[in-house]
Amino acid sequence: MNKPFICLLTDFGLHWGAVSSMHGVIASIDPSLRVNDVSHLIPPFRPWSASYCLKYTSPCWPRGTIFVSVVDPGVGTARRASVAKTALGQYVVTPDNGTLTHIKYFQGIEEIREIDENKNRRPGTEKFNTFHGRDIFAYTAGRLAAGIISYEDVGPLYPVEEIISFPITPSHIEKGRAEGIVENTDSHFGSILFNITIDDFEKAGFKMGDTIAVEICSGAEVRFSGTVLYQPSFGYVGLGEPVIFNGSTGYISMGVNRGSFSEKYHIQSGNEWTVRFNGVV
Amino acid sequence: MNKPFICLLTDFGLHWGAVSSMHGVIASIDPSLRVNDVSHLIPPFRPWSASYCLKYTSPCWPRGTIFVSVVDPGVGTARRASVAKTALGQYVVTPDNGTLTHIKYFQGIEEIREIDENKNRRPGTEKFNTFHGRDIFAYTAGRLAAGIISYEDVGPLYPVEEIISFPITPSHIEKGRAEGIVENTDSHFGSILFNITIDDFEKAGFKMGDTIAVEICSGAEVRFSGTVLYQPSFGYVGLGEPVIFNGSTGYISMGVNRGSFSEKYHIQSGNEWTVRFNGVV
Amino acid sequence: MNKPFICLLTDFGLHWGAVSSMHGVIASIDPSLRVNDVSHLIPPFRPWSASYCLKYTSPCWPRGTIFVSVVDPGVGTARRASVAKTALGQYVVTPDNGTLTHIKYFQGIEEIREIDENKNRRPGTEKFNTFHGRDIFAYTAGRLAAGIISYEDVGPLYPVEEIISFPITPSHIEKGRAEGIVENTDSHFGSILFNITIDDFEKAGFKMGDTIAVEICSGAEVRFSGTVLYQPSFGYVGLGEPVIFNGSTGYISMGVNRGSFSEKYHIQSGNEWTVRFNGVV
């Protein structure tokens, strides 16, 4: 049987050797293990972004894949170091600090164990408390993937209800209207994605080709207000024009053809960033 | 027999999970496949840069290698999704939007097939039209590399003459003179590279150690004019001084010792950026 | 027996195909070789940073690992192209231009060979003098890892004493005081690291929970002066506050909780950047 893939997700950046140190620890445990770099440019200290990224990426990977997600502003303090087993049959090795929010809510977490750091810590690193990504998380993932320890050997179970989560705002759908939040902004192309599924959007009655009244707010402040075409992709509107489209994981998105929607309108993500689709014009 | 390598080349950036999603799709098809990231920082929406990068990189890779090149501003519109078979015995899986220009002109393309999206699309993604990189291109490359489909199964052949190409400006050589265009600027070190081969430059009579009169123009506007040493490398001229050297793929280049030529003189690439070497001083 | 890993470390950036060309050369030599990207964002033309990064990363990798370190402002000039065998049983393939400083001083180098470029150069690249990273260093590392050449085949030995090194400033410890230099600044999180080991710091009498008087100077100019808590990690001090902590490779470090110490106080690294811990307050 194939050994599982390990996927690394951190806010460590690519300018120095932190990421390679994690690869090296895993290679030293078992040179046959295969490791993918999901991203190391998660916005620093922002577990919400890591949480969304895990939800976005994990369904593309096989059952058994072990994600190591380390966005860990509280490294070395009392937050739990954990391994979660998800409803997709994958594992997430991570500080339990909010990173599991989206996976728990949208996929489901079957159980979670707290890493016993006395057994699962790279020997010789007892005095170092700022690089658990290497010394605890990559080390534990490597030994789990190699079959040196079992999932049960990680440490004791604790209740799934105790997992630290950010609040999740549900979307709201009615005939001709849809409301939700900005779930994520893509910092590269500048598209934004809402927590409204394509299926729900269609149930509300919107269809491709419609021109829809849209309002995006940060708290009480309106940041975008306009009528926007709902099309299959960017290329169906003029250069620099906004467009509503079906995002690539099943959620309604907005973008600008060859431009950045989030930069142009200064849109960020989170529960206070709300969107309303107020009917077809 | 070894399965071919897959090499990914996109403008998706590294800040989120898009690239890892492509890796995951391939790993899910066949966990033994090996994938290299050529670059995911191609200037957004600029197939010319992807085209040049393919020409630059591909000769270093073995026969059979499958390149997936996705710089796709028209994703979800009518441009063809294709797989080209090159004269080097490699494959390029790509939207046919100009990305194949350099390979076609400088290496040659033996044949090209349009991907039949009914057969070669990741199941469950029919509603998503903005991530063909994952759902069509990586998916098709993975199944091709794994041997699940043959090249013939990709879809129907179409004439190589129909491949979308940018215009190619040939270089011009005579005794003591060479003319061409700026083919590429290296956005990292700031060297620039012309479409004049080292062999042609030598045929024009230039040799290492010469001081050569050079003029670089954007249309009719002179951007650089001066006399420059032709040397084996940067380190043969003073700090901050310009130098002509043999680029690493057989073309004449210019740079600045420990500086950026393209930034210092605001040079870009393309057919309107011309260079003239006007004899030895 | 497993073939050794190859680890690449350059200042080439990720915006174009240079790194992938190195991967391709290695894949063309032996498709079974496995290659890790340590970093390609080493500050351009700064072998000191590559040298520190090698010291930082290499202990995480197995014996036998072959590092290819190419920060090479003098490419194509007379500096030696070399392969060093380290006291950890690893190899470093590199221009001998200072990159070996930290490995030589802190780990030890057993022997070093100059690459015979007549035997160990990618065929057909004789006219190219600006990409030895691909044509000599990656090529030699690949053939060494594949077992096509032995370490002895690289070229002739030369005395370890002739290795080009930057000056190393030793730290100084006495009761209640510790002095050293800023060895490295982490350009991502902005932590800084000194050349003072945790063990020496403890010998000087400092212990977790102490508030310590610290002064950091650039030459004679004071850049930081204050009293700082010594704690296990960032999270033990308030947001934006400085903290002394045990760095993850055994050296005393300083940072700012969720901020950048090096940016806030404009701290850089090198022998002229000194630190003094002047006792417990």
Side-chain angles (χ1 to χ4, degrees):
Chain A
M1 210 190 78
N2 282 309
K3 289 171 189 164
F5 284 91
I6 296 175
C7 287
L8 306 180
L9 178 66
T10 76
D11 61 351
F12 294 168
L14 298 167
H15 283 75
W16 54 309
V19 170
S20 180
S21 297
M22 294 172 75
H23 280 266
V25 163
I26 294 167
S28 296
I29 290 168
D30 181 345
S32 74
L33 292 174
R34 300 191 44 201
V35 185
N36 177 256
D37 294 300
V38 177
S39 175
H40 300 288
L41 301 177
I42 298 296
F45 321 129
R46 196 149 193 260
W48 171 280
S49 294
S51 175
Y52 174 75
C53 190
L54 282 171
K55 176 197 174 198
Y56 179 88
T57 311
S58 55
C60 295
W61 286 89
R63 277 184 77 81
T65 297
I66 298 171
F67 291 86
V68 179
S69 176
V70 189
V71 177
D72 194 13
V75 60
T77 64
R79 95 279 177 275
R80 276 162 160 158
S82 306
V83 183
K85 189 175 174 182
T86 80
L88 296 186
Q90 300 174 331
Y91 297 86
V92 186
V93 185
T94 186
D96 180 359
N97 62 4
T99 310
L100 295 167
T101 300
H102 288 83
I103 295 281
K104 181 181 172 189
Y105 189 87
F106 293 98
Q107 294 180 3
I109 291 180
E110 292 188 354
E111 43 179 73
I112 188 162
R113 290 177 184 274
E114 182 167 358
I115 297 174
D116 180 342
E117 298 183 13
N118 294 315
K119 292 182 190 165
N120 296 299
R121 183 179 189 125
R122 195 168 160 244
T125 65
E126 293 73 14
K127 280 189 179 171
F128 313 150
N129 281 298
T130 53
F131 200 176
H132 291 182
R134 178 192 65 189
D135 300 332
I136 293 177
F137 298 114
Y139 181 75
T140 299
R143 301 215 306 160
L144 197 54
I148 296 172
I149 59 169
S150 69
Y151 174 56
E152 288 70 28
D153 295 331
V154 162
L157 285 170
Y158 63 92
V160 169
E161 295 71 37
E162 292 182 10
I163 293 172
I164 305 294
S165 287
F166 297 105
I168 290 282
T169 306
S171 60
H172 175 76
I173 302 298
E174 56 187 84
K175 198 73 204 160
R177 295 172 60 88
E179 292 181 17
I181 62 157
V182 181
E183 185 86 72
N184 192 56
T185 65
D186 155 9
S187 61
H188 189 68
F189 288 123
S191 293
I192 67 173
L193 173 144
F194 308 111
N195 65 337
I196 299 166
T197 64
I198 299 170
D199 288 348
D200 278 349
F201 206 61
E202 291 175 348
K203 278 181 202 154
F206 297 115
K207 53 188 189 303
M208 288 282 164
D210 284 351
T211 300
I212 303 172
V214 187
E215 199 174 72
I216 302 173
C217 297
S218 169
E221 191 186 341
V222 176
R223 291 296 180 97
F224 174 87
S225 179
T227 58
V228 184
L229 269 169
Y230 178 30
Q231 291 287 13
S233 184
F234 323 104
Y236 287 79
V237 298
L239 289 186
E241 284 183 21
V243 59
I244 303 165
F245 62 91
N246 291 346
S248 63
T249 54
Y251 291 86
I252 294 299
S253 296
M254 282 180 74
V256 155
N257 190 13
R258 304 210 191 185
S260 167
F261 191 91
S262 63
E263 279 187 19
K264 188 167 181 180
Y265 301 105
H266 308 285
I267 309 292
Q268 295 173 33
S269 62
N271 287 303
E272 72 280 20
W273 288 87
T274 56
V275 63
R276 279 186 230 171
F277 296 93
N278 289 317
V280 176
V281 182
Chain B
M1 209 190 79
N2 281 310
K3 290 171 189 161
F5 284 91
I6 296 174
C7 287
L8 306 179
L9 179 65
T10 77
D11 62 352
F12 294 168
L14 298 166
H15 283 75
W16 53 310
V19 171
S20 181
S21 297
M22 296 173 74
H23 280 265
V25 163
I26 294 167
S28 296
I29 290 167
D30 181 345
S32 74
L33 291 174
R34 299 188 49 199
V35 186
N36 178 255
D37 295 300
V38 177
S39 176
H40 299 288
L41 302 177
I42 298 296
F45 321 128
R46 194 147 196 261
W48 170 280
S49 295
S51 175
Y52 174 75
C53 189
L54 281 172
K55 177 198 174 198
Y56 179 89
T57 312
S58 55
C60 295
W61 286 89
R63 276 183 78 81
T65 297
I66 298 171
F67 291 86
V68 179
S69 176
V70 190
V71 177
D72 194 12
V75 60
T77 65
R79 94 277 174 276
R80 275 162 160 159
S82 306
V83 183
K85 188 176 175 182
T86 81
L88 296 186
Q90 300 174 330
Y91 298 87
V92 187
V93 185
T94 186
D96 180 359
N97 62 3
T99 310
L100 294 167
T101 300
H102 287 83
I103 295 279
K104 181 181 172 188
Y105 189 87
F106 293 99
Q107 293 178 3
I109 291 179
E110 293 188 353
E111 42 179 73
I112 187 162
R113 290 177 184 273
E114 182 168 358
I115 297 174
D116 180 342
E117 299 183 13
N118 293 316
K119 291 183 192 166
N120 295 299
R121 183 180 189 124
R122 195 168 161 246
T125 65
E126 293 73 14
K127 282 191 179 169
F128 313 150
N129 281 298
T130 53
F131 200 176
H132 290 183
R134 177 192 66 188
D135 299 333
I136 294 176
F137 299 114
Y139 181 74
T140 299
R143 301 214 307 159
L144 196 54
I148 296 172
I149 60 170
S150 69
Y151 174 56
E152 288 69 29
D153 295 331
V154 162
L157 285 170
Y158 63 92
V160 168
E161 295 70 38
E162 292 182 11
I163 292 172
I164 305 294
S165 285
F166 298 105
I168 289 283
T169 307
S171 61
H172 176 77
I173 302 298
E174 56 187 83
K175 199 71 205 161
R177 294 172 60 88
E179 291 180 17
I181 62 157
V182 181
E183 185 86 72
N184 192 56
T185 64
D186 155 9
S187 61
H188 190 68
F189 288 123
S191 292
I192 67 175
L193 174 143
F194 308 111
N195 65 338
I196 300 166
T197 64
I198 298 169
D199 288 347
D200 277 350
F201 206 61
E202 290 175 347
K203 278 180 203 153
F206 298 115
K207 52 187 190 302
M208 288 281 165
D210 284 351
T211 299
I212 303 172
V214 187
E215 199 173 70
I216 302 174
C217 297
S218 169
E221 191 186 341
V222 177
R223 292 296 181 99
F224 175 87
S225 179
T227 58
V228 183
L229 269 169
Y230 178 31
Q231 291 287 11
S233 184
F234 323 103
Y236 287 77
V237 299
L239 288 186
E241 284 183 21
V243 59
I244 302 164
F245 62 91
N246 291 346
S248 62
T249 52
Y251 291 85
I252 295 298
S253 297
M254 282 180 73
V256 155
N257 190 15
R258 304 210 191 185
S260 167
F261 192 90
S262 64
E263 278 187 20
K264 187 167 181 180
Y265 300 105
H266 308 286
I267 308 292
Q268 295 171 33
S269 62
N271 287 303
E272 72 278 22
W273 289 87
T274 56
V275 64
R276 280 185 230 171
F277 296 93
N278 290 317
V280 176
V281 182
Chain C
M1 209 190 80
N2 281 308
K3 290 170 189 164
F5 284 91
I6 296 175
C7 287
L8 306 180
L9 178 67
T10 77
D11 61 352
F12 294 168
L14 298 167
H15 282 75
W16 54 310
V19 170
S20 180
S21 297
M22 296 172 74
H23 280 266
V25 163
I26 294 167
S28 295
I29 290 168
D30 181 345
S32 74
L33 292 175
R34 300 189 49 199
V35 186
N36 177 257
D37 294 300
V38 177
S39 176
H40 299 288
L41 302 177
I42 297 295
F45 321 127
R46 193 147 196 261
W48 170 281
S49 295
S51 175
Y52 174 76
C53 189
L54 282 171
K55 176 197 175 199
Y56 179 88
T57 312
S58 56
C60 294
W61 285 91
R63 277 184 77 81
T65 297
I66 299 171
F67 291 86
V68 179
S69 176
V70 190
V71 176
D72 194 14
V75 60
T77 64
R79 95 278 175 274
R80 275 161 160 159
S82 306
V83 183
K85 187 176 175 183
T86 80
L88 296 186
Q90 300 174 329
Y91 298 86
V92 186
V93 184
T94 186
D96 181 359
N97 63 3
T99 309
L100 295 168
T101 301
H102 287 84
I103 295 280
K104 181 180 173 190
Y105 189 87
F106 293 98
Q107 293 179 4
I109 290 178
E110 292 188 353
E111 44 180 72
I112 188 162
R113 290 177 183 273
E114 183 168 358
I115 297 174
D116 180 341
E117 298 182 12
N118 294 315
K119 292 181 191 166
N120 295 300
R121 183 180 189 124
R122 196 168 160 245
T125 65
E126 293 73 14
K127 281 190 179 170
F128 313 151
N129 281 298
T130 53
F131 200 176
H132 290 183
R134 178 192 64 188
D135 300 332
I136 294 177
F137 298 115
Y139 181 75
T140 299
R143 300 215 307 159
L144 197 53
I148 295 172
I149 59 169
S150 68
Y151 174 56
E152 288 69 29
D153 295 331
V154 162
L157 285 170
Y158 63 92
V160 169
E161 295 70 38
E162 291 183 11
I163 293 173
I164 305 294
S165 287
F166 298 105
I168 289 282
T169 307
S171 61
H172 176 75
I173 302 298
E174 55 187 84
K175 198 71 203 161
R177 294 173 59 88
E179 291 181 18
I181 62 157
V182 180
E183 185 86 72
N184 191 56
T185 63
D186 154 10
S187 62
H188 190 67
F189 288 124
S191 293
I192 67 174
L193 174 143
F194 308 110
N195 66 338
I196 299 166
T197 64
I198 299 169
D199 288 347
D200 278 350
F201 207 60
E202 291 175 347
K203 278 181 202 152
F206 297 115
K207 53 188 188 304
M208 288 281 164
D210 284 352
T211 299
I212 303 171
V214 187
E215 199 174 71
I216 301 173
C217 297
S218 169
E221 192 186 340
V222 177
R223 291 296 181 98
F224 175 87
S225 180
T227 58
V228 184
L229 269 170
Y230 178 31
Q231 291 288 10
S233 184
F234 322 104
Y236 287 79
V237 299
L239 288 187
E241 284 183 22
V243 59
I244 303 164
F245 62 92
N246 291 346
S248 63
T249 53
Y251 291 85
I252 294 298
S253 297
M254 280 180 75
V256 155
N257 190 15
R258 304 210 191 185
S260 167
F261 191 90
S262 64
E263 278 188 20
K264 187 166 182 179
Y265 300 105
H266 308 285
I267 308 293
Q268 295 172 33
S269 62
N271 287 303
E272 72 279 22
W273 289 87
T274 55
V275 62
R276 280 186 229 169
F277 296 93
N278 289 318
V280 178
V281 182

